[in-house]
Amino acid sequence: MDTALITGASRGIGAALKSELGTRGYEVTGTSTRGTEDLLPLDVKDPQSVAALAKDLKDHPLDLLVCNAGLYLDKGQSLDTDYPAEMWVEEFAVNVTGVFLTVQAFLPALRAARGKIAIISSQMASHTRAPGGSYIYRASKAAALNLGRNLATDLKSDGISVGIYHPGWVQTDMGGASAEITATMAATGLADRFAELSPTSTGCFLTWDGHPHAY
C-alpha cells in the first residue's frame, strides 16, 4: 500500500485530501499543529517538531508528501499602516521555511520510495497576477513555487518528482464562503494531479483541474 503524509490536515483542503487519498488506497497520515485523535502533531515552523515526526516515521518509505500547511494572515491589510514585521516572519515561517524543513526531514523516506512531493502554492504566486494587496501571502507563495522548482531539479536524480499546485479558490476558512469550488472538488482534482506527476513533469506548476499556470 502506498503511503502519504499531509501537513495541515485538520480542516479545509488538507482534510479533504486526507479523505480522498484514503479512498484511493493510500495509507494516509495527516498532521495538525496540536495533533488530535486522528492527526499527528506537527508544527512545520519548528525544526524540533519536524525532526521528531520524521524520527517517528523513519522506518516507513514515503510515496507522497503533501506540503499543505499554510497561513494567510495579511488579508485586507493597509499598505500605509499594516503588514508588521512579525506577520512577515510568521507567514514565511509556515508557508516557505516549513515546506523546506518538512521536505528535508523526510528525504530519506522519500528516497526509499522514489516518492513524490506536492507543494500547495497558489495562483497568487504568479507574476501574471499582481492586483495589489496581500503582499506577504503573495510573496510567500511565490517563494514556495520557486522552492518547488529548485527541489525538482536537485531531486530528479533521486527519482523524486515535485509538483507545485494552485488548489483553486476553495470554500474554506481561508477562501471564504463565496469561493468557486468546494474542498472536496479541489481534493479530487489535486489527487488526480498527484497521480499524474512523474519524472517527465517534475517542476510543473498546475491548477487543481490540470491546466499549466504561468510562473
Side-chain angles (χ1 to χ4, degrees):
M1 179 182 291
D2 284 350
T3 58
L5 175 65
I6 305 171
T7 66
S10 63
R11 58 187 178 180
I13 297 168
L17 276 170
K18 184 174 183 293
S19 175
E20 178 65 26
L21 291 175
T23 66
R24 297 187 184 213
Y26 279 88
E27 180 183 344
V28 186
T29 300
T31 76
S32 67
T33 304
R34 293 181 177 83
T36 67
E37 183 177 342
D38 300 319
L39 302 172
L40 296 180
L42 175 64
D43 182 351
V44 297
K45 67 181 186 295
D46 180 354
Q48 292 183 340
S49 177
V50 177
L53 182 60
K55 182 178 180 181
D56 287 344
L57 302 178
K58 67 181 175 64
D59 295 326
H60 302 275
L62 184 58
D63 296 285
L64 174 63
L65 171 62
V66 183
C67 295
N68 171 72
L71 285 179
Y72 186 0
L73 302 176
D74 57 310
K75 188 182 298 185
Q77 295 275 296
S78 166
L79 177 59
D80 290 336
T81 59
D82 295 323
Y83 300 102
E86 57 268 25
M87 187 178 287
W88 284 88
V89 171
E90 178 76 4
E91 212 160 323
F92 264 76
V94 174
N95 295 354
V96 186
T97 308
V99 173
F100 181 81
L101 292 176
T102 305
V103 169
Q104 186 179 53
F106 283 93
L107 278 176
L110 287 160
R111 287 187 173 120
R114 296 177 72 86
K116 303 177 182 182
I117 300 168
I119 296 174
I120 306 303
S121 181
S122 170
Q123 65 181 2
M124 293 168 73
S126 174
H127 76 279
T128 64
R129 294 183 62 89
S134 299
Y135 290 98
I136 306 174
Y137 187 76
R138 292 181 191 281
S140 68
K141 288 301 184 179
L145 168 59
N146 184 276
L147 177 62
R149 293 277 289 168
N150 283 281
L151 285 169
T153 298
D154 282 340
L155 296 176
K156 191 168 186 177
S157 62
D158 291 321
I160 297 173
S161 300
V162 183
I164 309 99
Y165 302 97
H166 165 56
W169 184 21
V170 187
Q171 295 165 12
T172 61
D173 290 346
M174 186 182 294
S178 62
E180 295 174 342
I181 61 173
T182 66
T184 298
M185 292 171 65
T188 300
L190 288 169
D192 288 342
R193 306 289 78 74
F194 304 162
E196 296 166 354
L197 181 62
S198 71
T200 59
S201 62
T202 190
C204 62
F205 182 29
L206 300 176
T207 63
W208 67 280
D209 52 354
H211 298 290
H213 203 296
Y215 298 105

